[in-house]
Amino acid sequence: YQRRVHGAWGYNEHGQLGLGHTQHQYTPTRVTSIGNNIIHLLALGYHHSVVVCNDEFNEATRLLSWGSNKYGELGNGQGPNQLEPTVVGTELEGHSFKALSCGAHFTLCICEMQGKHGLYGWGQTNNGQLGVNEIAFYPRPMRFTEFDGLFMSKIVTGAHHSFLVCAEYPGAAQEVYAWGYNSASQLGVPNKENIVSPCHVSDLYVYSVQHLAAGALHTVAVVLEASSVLMEKEEKEPDLMSGNLSRRSTRMSTTERSNSSTKLLISSLYRRILV
């Protein structure tokens, strides 16, 4: 079976269903505007939709978006809402796409080109959800240069906050960085100030993050805790007030994982819990 957008339904005032109109749909309705494209990744924001796909005659993937474009969340420049899929900005031409996630009114994706990973984002950034605060939104893809040279494995977004899981190279110790809205400490750092620039989540450093998910005001991580690891690290404590990224040089070799266990970490309103 080939992965295609078979159906979309629900609220459609902004054209987020991609059906070419703004009428709400009460049952799954085929999205014919996607054509014969094969879908690899799909992400939804409040009122916009984004897919990574390729047509059946071309292996090169591309990014399509549709729906609300009030905050530039479609990534093709400031303009009207799009009722059918349109190609995201030319900044991403020639890239392959490894991960995709949408917040309320913004989008993040991990790209790869010539063996190197890059993190891009666009849309609303009034709470720092794109790692900057100079303007209210970016209508075209913007590269996060802070993470150049790192191996990126996961990108996760809540309504107005973001996380990246990365490492120096495949198999190295994972690092988790967070930024954006933080009124309920959903970023996992010990304050409730918004973090404008990516900040290291130090409490997750000793774990291998298997799954990470973010809600509007909370975050949940499933982690694997190794029984014995050897680490050499050179680090600086993150500046939590300024939100500056603290890059850490880390080497890790796992000597024993037979007794590893899975744990659930929850960062929620007013507290962080390990169970």
Side-chain angles (χ1 to χ4, degrees):
Y1 295 95
Q2 293 181 322
R3 298 181 294 269
R4 305 184 190 278
V5 175
H6 177 71
W9 60 98
Y11 188 73
N12 194 35
E13 181 179 351
H14 307 278
Q16 58 264 49
L17 299 185
L19 300 174
H21 58 72
T22 57
Q23 298 174 3
H24 307 324
Q25 299 297 304
Y26 303 102
T27 58
T29 304
R30 187 167 182 81
V31 183
T32 58
S33 57
I34 206 75
N36 291 320
N37 284 286
I38 300 169
I39 308 302
H40 300 279
L41 299 172
L42 168 67
L44 306 179
Y46 275 10
H47 305 300
H48 73 291
S49 307
V50 186
V51 298
V52 172
C53 62
N54 68 282
D55 65 47
E56 54 190 338
F57 304 109
N58 188 348
E59 293 184 358
T61 55
R62 57 182 182 155
L63 208 57
L64 302 179
S65 62
W66 61 93
S68 173
N69 200 32
K70 181 178 180 180
Y71 302 103
E73 54 262 63
L74 299 186
N76 52 21
Q78 189 175 3
N81 297 349
Q82 298 295 321
L83 306 184
E84 294 185 350
T86 59
V87 178
V88 173
T90 57
E91 293 85 349
L92 300 179
E93 286 183 357
H95 290 76
S96 60
F97 303 95
K98 302 302 179 183
L100 177 68
S101 188
C102 290
H105 306 293
F106 68 101
T107 305
L108 296 173
C109 69
I110 297 173
C111 303
E112 183 177 352
M113 188 174 187
Q114 298 178 342
K116 296 182 178 180
H117 285 190
L119 177 64
Y120 287 85
W122 57 93
Q124 190 180 46
T125 187
N126 61 320
N127 290 301
Q129 53 266 57
L130 293 182
V132 294
N133 68 344
E134 291 92 349
I135 58 176
F137 60 89
Y138 275 82
R140 302 190 70 86
M142 175 198 67
R143 187 182 181 98
F144 286 68
T145 57
E146 303 97 319
F147 300 112
D148 284 353
L150 296 180
F151 176 80
M152 307 175 201
S153 56
K154 297 180 180 68
I155 186 68
V156 175
T157 54
H160 305 289
H161 67 295
S162 309
F163 291 90
L164 174 70
V165 181
C166 59
E168 285 195 68
Y169 52 87
Q174 291 181 331
E175 309 268 4
V176 178
Y177 291 93
W179 59 94
Y181 193 54
N182 195 39
S183 67
S185 298
Q186 59 264 45
L187 297 183
V189 296
N191 64 52
K192 294 181 183 179
E193 301 294 327
N194 292 353
I195 303 296
V196 174
S197 299
C199 180
H200 183 252
V201 184
S202 59
D203 283 359
L204 292 178
Y205 177 58
V206 297
Y207 303 104
S208 173
V209 177
Q210 303 297 294
H211 303 284
L212 186 65
L217 296 173
H218 72 295
T219 305
V220 176
V222 176
V223 301
L224 185 66
E225 185 179 34
S227 60
S228 176
V229 296
L230 296 177
M231 290 180 286
E232 298 176 9
K233 55 186 177 180
E234 183 179 323
E235 61 180 303
K236 294 181 179 179
E237 290 298 323
D239 185 344
L240 298 179
M241 296 307 296
S242 68
N244 291 332
L245 171 68
S246 295
R247 181 63 57 81
R248 313 196 317 173
S249 176
T250 306
R251 295 290 184 272
M252 171 180 173
S253 62
T254 302
T255 60
E256 182 183 355
R257 290 189 178 273
S258 59
N259 296 323
S260 296
S261 60
T262 300
K263 295 184 180 293
L264 181 66
L265 287 166
I266 303 175
S267 175
S268 61
L269 190 61
Y270 306 125
R271 66 189 187 277
R272 289 193 301 279
I273 305 171
L274 174 61
V275 295

